[in-house]
Each structure stands twice: as C-alpha cells, then as structure tokens.
Amino acid sequence: MSFRTSPRLPAAPGPEEPLSAIHYVEDVSPGGAALPPRARYASSDARSLSLNGSWRFRLSPTADAQDDSFAAEGYDAGDWDQVLVPGHWVLQGHGAPIYTNHRYPFPVDPPHVPTENPTGDHLHTFDLPSDWPSDGGAVLRFDGVESCARVWLNGTDVGEFKGSRLPHEFAVGHLLKPEGNVLAVRVHQWSAGSYLEDQDQWWLPGVFRDVTLLHRPAGAVLDFFVHASYDHATGAGTLRVDSDVDGRVTVAALGVDVATGESATVPVQPWTAETPRLYDGVLATPGERVPLRIGFRTVALEDGLIRVNGRAVLFKGVNRHEWHPERGRALDLETMRADVLLMKRHNINAVRTSHYPPHPAFLDLCDELGLWVIDECDLETHGFAAQAWRGNPVDDDRWTPALLDRAARMVERDKNHPSVVVWSLGNEAGTGRGLTAMAEWIRGRDRSRLIHYEGDHDCRDTDVYSRMYTVHDEVERIGRGEDGGPRERRGLPFVLCEYGHAMGNGPGGMADYQRLFTSHERLQGGFVWEWIDHGVKDERYGFAYGGDFGEELHDGNFVCDGLLFPDRTPSPGLVEYKKVIEPVRIDGRGADGTVRITNAQDFADLSALAFVWSFQVDGETVGAGRLAVPALAPGESAVVQLPERPDGGGGGGAETGWTVRALLAADTAWGPKDHEVAWTQVPVAARAPIAPAAGAGPVRGDGLITLGPAVFDSRTGAVRSIGGVGVDGLRLDVWRAPTDNDDGAAWQADPRLGPLWRKLGLHRMRHRLEAVEPADDALTVRTRVAPAAADVALRTAYRWTSDGTRLRLTVSVAPEGDWTLPLPRLGIRLGLAGTADRVRWFGGGPGEGYPDTKSASLVARWESTVDGLQTPYVRPQENGARADVRWAEIGGLRVDGEPEFWFTARRWTSEQLDAAGHLTDLSAGDTVWVNLDHGQQGIGSQSCGPGVLPRYQLRAAPAEFTFFFSQTPG
C-alpha cells in the first residue's frame, strides 16, 4: 500500500556521534519509517482490531539495559508483569510520576538525556479475527506514546517515533499472520523529544492512547480533506472533499452526490458552537466507505476581529489538559463526554487544548455538542527560559524537521473537525525560525483557519494577539487600542489564552475581566487556566501532587490548578465562572417592576430557553411563575414586565426581592429540561434595622458576670456561654490560612501577601487585655491586638448589651501604626461545642464566596452540615466563607449581623488548616470554630496572574460592626 507524499520537510542533519542500537533516543529527528500523517476518522466499513488491553511489561533502569531479543517470536515473557494499555506504567506500580511546571527533570543538554532513562518493554500477542480479510494491507496505529518508542512486529523492526501526543502509523500488512502475532514496543521515558514536551504536567511514560490495527483494502481511503464553507450572506454552504483516492461524496440530507475534488453549493444550516449542526455524509472509494460528519462554517480575520460565519465570536473558554486521577492521560470516551457536558452546562463555549492535540474522540465530541477549539501543537520548551532561551530548539535548524512533523501530524489528523477554528503552534517555547517555518507550512496546507501562538507578541507569524495573565488595566488599554506595539499587531484581535489561574481558592476578579471583554470589541475573550486539578489518587493523601513521590525537582501543588477537583466535582471557581459568562444577561430594578433581558450569545436566539420568576420575603419564596420573553436574536434586548408582587405590597420591614432565571425549555444534547443557564436577583425592599438589644445590666457573681443570656469571666471579660451554649475563645481575628493566590507566584509584580503576612506576624497575633468595664447598661472589654516584633496594632473594644433574651456585641477597631498591608480578614472567631453540626443561614450560597468571587452567591435561606461547608481543595487553605449573611444558626445559637457578614464554620482552627499539606492532615476536634467576619480580603489570581484588585482589598481602617446572639428555637 502507499500513502500520498506528505509536505516536504527539511532533512534532519546526520548524527554527530557514532550510531548505537539506541541512537534514535537522542536523535533530533521525529523518527523513522512512520507513514505520512493523514486525517483520522472514527470508523469505516474496513475492519479494525483494537489492541488495547493487558500487555506484558518489563521495566529497565536505562535505555540499553536489555537487548532487543524480547521482540523475537517465541520469546518467553511469562515471568513479566502486566500493565493495561492505554496506560502509564508509573501509575500501575512501576516507578513513580514526576511533576514539574517548566523545569526539565534532567540536565539541559540537548539533545542528550540521562543514562538513567526508565525504559518499558511491552509485549502483546494477538490473533487476527477469523474473518479478517486476506487481501490488501494493514496499518498499525499508535495514538499516543510518551516519549519515544521503537516497534517490532513478529520479530521485524517496524520503526521508531517521537511526538508523544500525536498519531503514528506503520504499514504492517506483510508481517501479519493469522495467529500468534507478537507486537513488541520499547518505550523510553526520556528522549530528545522530551525537550519539546515541557508542558506543565506530570511526566508519565507509557502507551497511553489507543493501539489499533486497521485493514486497508485495495482502493481504501488514504487521506482526505473536507472543505465545508458557509456564506452568511446567502445561507449557502459549499462542500468539496479532496481525496488521495478518487471516490464520491454523498450527503443525503442535502441531496449532494459529487465526485471527490468537485464542489457542491447548497442551502445549509451552519455549524457554530451554539448551534452545532452536523450533516451525515459518506466518502466512498473503490475499497472503503467512510462516514463523514460535516459542519459548514467559515473562519476569517475581518476588520481586526475573529469572525465565524460573518459574526465576531467571544471565547468563554478553558484550557484543558487531559487528566484522570487514576489513569493519568489515558482517558476513556465516557470521561471525555462527561467533561464536555460539564463545560456546556457551565456556559463554557471554547477549549484550548493545552498544550497538545487531545485524544481525537474529544474533538468528535466538540463537533457534536458544540465547542470552539484552539487546537495546540505538541510543543513546549519552557525549561530553556532559565537559560535565557540559549539552545532553544525552536531557533535551531537541526530541530525544524521535528517541529514541522509535529505541526503536520496535528493539522492532518484534525483538519476535518468543524470545531477546530484556530491552530496553535504550541506554548511557551520562546521565539525562533522553527515557529515561523511551522506557521508557513500550516498556512500552505490550510487557509481556512487562523494561527495562534502566545509567545509571538509582535504577531509576525500569528493572526491573533495573545497574552496570558495580563492585568485588568492593561487588558483595558489593549481593548481601547492604547497598547502601542507593531502596526500589524494593533490591527489584530486580542485573546487571553490563559487567565484566571484556578489554583486552590479562586480565581478572583473574573467578573471584572468579563466586563472588559463585553465592553471592547477587540477583546475576544479568554481561556481560564485550567480545567481540572491533576491530583493523583493516593491512599496516603487522598490526592497527591508534586513532591509526594520523592521527586528530585518538583513544583508542588501547582499541578492542582483546575476548575474541577481531581474527581471531577465542580469547584466554586467553576460555579463562579458559569455565572460570570452567562449567555443571557438579566438586569432589573425593583422599583419599576421590570427586567431587561439581553441575549449575549453570538449566534442563537433565545427560543431554546424558558424564563421563570420567583419572589422572596426574607429569603423564603412566596410565589413563582413563568415569564414571557421574546425569542431575542443575538445582541437584542427587551424590557419585560414582572407580575404583581405576590406579597400584596409588602411592608413590615421584611427584605423582599425577585429572582429571575433562564432555563432550558426542553432536553438538549448537553443538558436536561429546566437546567439553569442564567439568573439574577432584583432587590425590592431592604431589611429593616435590627431592634436594639438593651435594657438589662451586668450582674456580678462568683468570678463571673451575667448579662442577659450570657456569662462572662469577670477578670478577663471573656464570654463563657450564651443561652447555655458553651463559647470559647471569642476574640478579634485577622488571620486566614493563606490561599495559593495569597502566597502568589514569585514572577508576579504584585506583592506576595501570604509571605508578607507571615513576616509581619499576622498568624501569631497577641491579645493584651487593657480593661474590663462593667456599667449599668453594658459590659465593655478593651484589648490591644498586635503581632510580636512589630509596632502596629488594632485597638479593639467589645461592647456587650442585652435586652434580657438577646445579646448584642458591637466591635470597634482602630488601627495603630503604619499598616501598609491589607488584612486577610477582620471579624471575630469563637469556638462552639463539638456537637454543633447543622447550619442554617440567610445569605449568599449555596457555596463559598469572597469579595471578588461571589457573583454566583444567591441570597436565600440555606442549610448544610459543618462538614458540608468545607471546600476540599487538594492543598488545604482558607475556604468555605458564605457571603452577605444576614443571620446564621449553628449549635443552638442564632447570630444576626449588622451589617451583613461573612460566615465560616469548621472543625479545626485556621492555624491547623494552615499547617495541613493534604486533606488527610486535618482531623476534627471537639470544637467547631466559627468566624463572623466584617471584612475579607479578596482572592485574586496571583498564583500565576494578577493580585487582588484595589476595590477588593481589605485595608486596615477604623471599623465598627455588630452581632446579635440569641438561642435558636427548640
């Protein structure tokens, strides 16, 4: 059999050292004997045989520790271990994974790799099915092997290859026999290719994607290219399928029946991420019939904007590494489908396949369910940044054939996917001639898509001005066209290919970014970093991260920076992002009883949505119904009248308001009927001020002071109980267990607050009692709260009053000294007996929220357990605060706040939370610690992006806040 000739690539230079049996490991070429890259298709009427399953396995410490005798027929591997393919041997009990962000875990000495090079020999014996055709040829396909492989079939050396996340095929029909075929694969963890794959992920060697044998009958399809454009002015689609083997293309639903290479123009419904219309077709050659799924769409750079089908698009995207907590990058179809469904249900419309082409089935799902895709090449050389990019392969002509091979294997494999609208040359590989060569080759092969590469800030090779983690102010300047730079760049659209670093608690400031995106046409959105935490399931820690496997170099939990926890539970960050990027904007004013509905989609009208209203009185819903909203076109708005208030006009000091939701009107391919797409709350009447709690006076006893329902220590003024509920350690609190964003990244310009808070000593504040002052109507306790070795302090007065049944605490705080840092939090902390479990509150929920992450906090009445309030970040840190709380009930106590407060309750202290490295380090004590905070520092995104915006910072300033304590009924 033969394939078409692939685009001519420069020849690799000859080796600089004498050849050896393993010379290919350090050869900068992409490999030898693999067939030219071609389009991948999921199925055809030609036979195929999956070779996935249990394989025999032997691990050696070096690349040359064993000879290749294991590949010979008749070799006895009965005493070898077994591993599952697809899979990684380090996740199956052989060696251990390694995590680094950008540092190579081996000396930077390209193209050389260490002698200590774990090498896995794999053996698989298989028979051909009894009805396997005897005519034609066969192709052996590997969809992904890390990082370098050599292949034998029935004792014959088939070839070797590099390019871990790219397909490689070999012609093997002449080597097959009906029974007892022996497939031998030697996989090296390190190779010259490893220098091109420094991609902020676990280093996981193995055969981690499918291995398949494909029958290739005479006249079978070789390569083909589906061109399916759409003219938005006429509504016509033009289809042409170029094929290396002549045949015919039929699309029954369109009445199309043409020869390959010929065009047909017919009326069609276009493909978009919002309306992913696919037409089923067939490519038939003399030897094979290949099903096609055709989406008509046109991508263009027009008027300085990325336009699809004539309309500018706004990317509401995520970066997606492939990950499963037990199987690593060996993903199954069900997991990939679950990911796409979660994305669609959280209003995400785009994916950047960081930093390599994904499993091909993932792109099938993006076609089917609707996601814009930036398809990224398997290329990153970030580790050379530490050497000022000296020796960077992308600027070294010796490596150009490997770079072009990677570009070609991506483009040829994925070129027929309508979801792929942009090709990306790779990530964080500096700049150089190799990238230019890749861009030129891609343009020569496919003019129907745009080209992206973030590192090309002058946009010499790219069609998009792309940056990562750019601060809000600079993004706004770019949106206004005030960024300067080369003339070519000033005329290009801007995309944040990475922003909103979702590491631990966060990211913060997403709503502020989205307001910029929707305010400036040039800003075409961005991609949050990233989709999922890469925690490895581990019986010691729950989920392990960098350093947990004894790595010589590692970057800790920087690998856990996703919107999903490793078990695919959505984090608060994903819930926040869903709210921020809603495709429908609902704005209203309680005074006039109307809401303005705006369709924020790019293509679809609102006919797929149903709108409902509900009315709340003090957080309780007292009425609900449907709301008639027209099927607005993209960008259109309408003012809609709300019904008469179901509370009859209110009064009595109750807090009232409307909630309006947009729901799916019927089941869709990605979500069930009544799935919530968007919502807003429209306040009507604010809550009335809380009646004062005064009238009762302090009563002295035997070392105690009684005030209403509370008992205090007469010497210290510390409250001991309220209404019979034991209270411990009530005092001012400013410390929180620093988040990953508090600790920040060393390369960011903003100060890293976590280390500065520790340096100042905010984690070890000292409380000096200055006075206990009983009076006729109040008990006042005065303290000075300050860190050791510092001359700053917070003078704090606690003033207690009571009406006999309720207890009122007013806390007054006055800073002393030069407070240059914001505070982590400002409020009081108290301990309750460990029997406290159920929690009820009226305020933001159901999940956590902080000043710059509370867009998704819905004000209502909520219930939880104390354990249910915790957010299980893989590395423990501040979490679980509920925002805008009016009142909360826990452990027999009710707390009302004036003004609203932040509520947190957990079975360990902030200090214990701070000391924990994993969730398994936390054990419940016999006290529930409750924080009632007047203020919280925002979260930001400084684990890799900008810090907290000024308006969300908690500056030390005079403050006064009040809490009312009472017993809960029963």
Side-chain angles (χ1 to χ4, degrees), residues 397-715:
D397 290 340
R398 296 177 302 163
W399 295 81
T400 299
L403 302 183
L404 290 172
D405 181 75
R406 289 171 184 248
R409 290 188 182 280
M410 171 184 70
V411 170
E412 301 296 4
R413 190 196 77 168
D414 297 342
K415 60 182 177 282
N416 295 326
H417 288 282
S419 58
V420 176
V421 293
V422 178
W423 301 117
S424 179
L425 303 180
N427 183 70
E428 292 178 318
T431 57
R433 292 163 287 177
L435 289 167
T436 299
M438 293 169 69
E440 290 175 349
W441 184 89
I442 292 173
R443 285 197 175 94
R445 179 60 174 150
D446 178 23
R447 284 278 180 180
S448 70
R449 296 175 174 93
L450 306 183
I451 294 179
H452 165 275
Y453 177 67
E454 180 272 336
D456 182 15
H457 288 182
D458 289 339
C459 300
R460 291 172 297 186
D461 298 322
T462 60
D463 301 307
V464 180
Y465 179 25
S466 176
R467 295 274 298 280
M468 54 176 66
Y469 308 110
T470 311
V471 299
H472 295 76
D473 288 348
E474 186 176 358
V475 171
E476 185 164 23
R477 289 195 299 273
I478 293 170
R480 291 174 174 169
E482 299 170 356
D483 54 308
R487 179 176 58 83
E488 292 82 3
R489 190 183 81 185
R490 295 198 301 273
L492 294 180
F494 179 79
V495 169
L496 276 169
C497 68
E498 294 179 22
Y499 82 119
H501 196 251
M503 184 177 178
N505 187 334
M510 299 303 294
D512 304 271
Y513 274 119
Q514 198 65 24
R515 280 191 288 271
L516 294 175
F517 296 159
T518 56
S519 299
H520 303 283
E521 189 178 46
R522 185 188 184 191
L523 307 179
Q524 293 199 254
F527 297 78
V528 170
W529 186 269
E530 64 163 306
W531 178 237
I532 188 169
D533 286 344
H534 299 197
V536 177
K537 190 172 182 181
D538 188 284
E539 62 182 13
R540 300 167 297 167
Y541 306 122
F543 295 107
Y545 50 76
D548 289 336
F549 298 98
E551 300 101 306
E552 182 179 50
L553 289 177
H554 68 85
D555 288 291
N557 69 311
F558 201 72
V559 76
C560 293
D561 48 11
L563 294 169
L564 295 181
F565 295 124
D567 63 359
R568 284 184 159 72
T569 300
S571 76
L574 180 57
V575 177
E576 174 79 359
Y577 193 41
K578 175 189 177 182
K579 174 62 180 166
V580 164
I581 59 174
E582 287 174 339
V584 181
R585 294 197 299 272
I586 309 172
D587 307 294
R589 294 181 300 172
D592 62 9
T594 63
V595 290
R596 176 177 290 274
I597 310 291
T598 302
N599 183 356
Q601 298 178 111
D602 296 324
F603 297 93
D605 64 24
L606 297 188
S607 59
L609 301 180
F611 290 79
V612 296
W613 63 267
S614 60
F615 192 82
Q616 286 76 40
V617 176
D618 283 339
E620 297 276 15
T621 296
V622 298
R626 293 277 175 174
L627 191 65
V629 175
L632 301 169
E636 287 187 345
S637 296
V639 175
V640 178
Q641 183 68 47
L642 293 166
E644 292 186 10
R645 289 174 51 173
D647 65 340
E655 179 176 357
T656 57
W658 302 91
T659 300
V660 179
R661 293 180 169 90
L663 312 175
L664 287 182
D667 291 346
T668 70
W670 55 265
K673 181 179 182 292
D674 294 331
H675 165 77
E676 184 178 87
V677 173
W679 61 269
T680 198
Q681 290 189 294
V682 182
V684 175
R687 63 175 178 148
I690 303 173
V699 178
R700 288 183 176 276
D702 185 13
L704 301 173
I705 296 175
T706 301
L707 176 61
V711 177
F712 299 81
D713 185 298
S714 61
R715 184 180 63 85

Side-chain angles (χ1 to χ4, degrees), residues 135-155:
D135 63 326
V139 164
L140 177 64
R141 183 173 67 212
F142 295 87
D143 279 317
V145 181
E146 183 175 329
S147 73
C148 172
R150 187 176 180 186
V151 182
W152 295 263
L153 181 61
N154 293 330

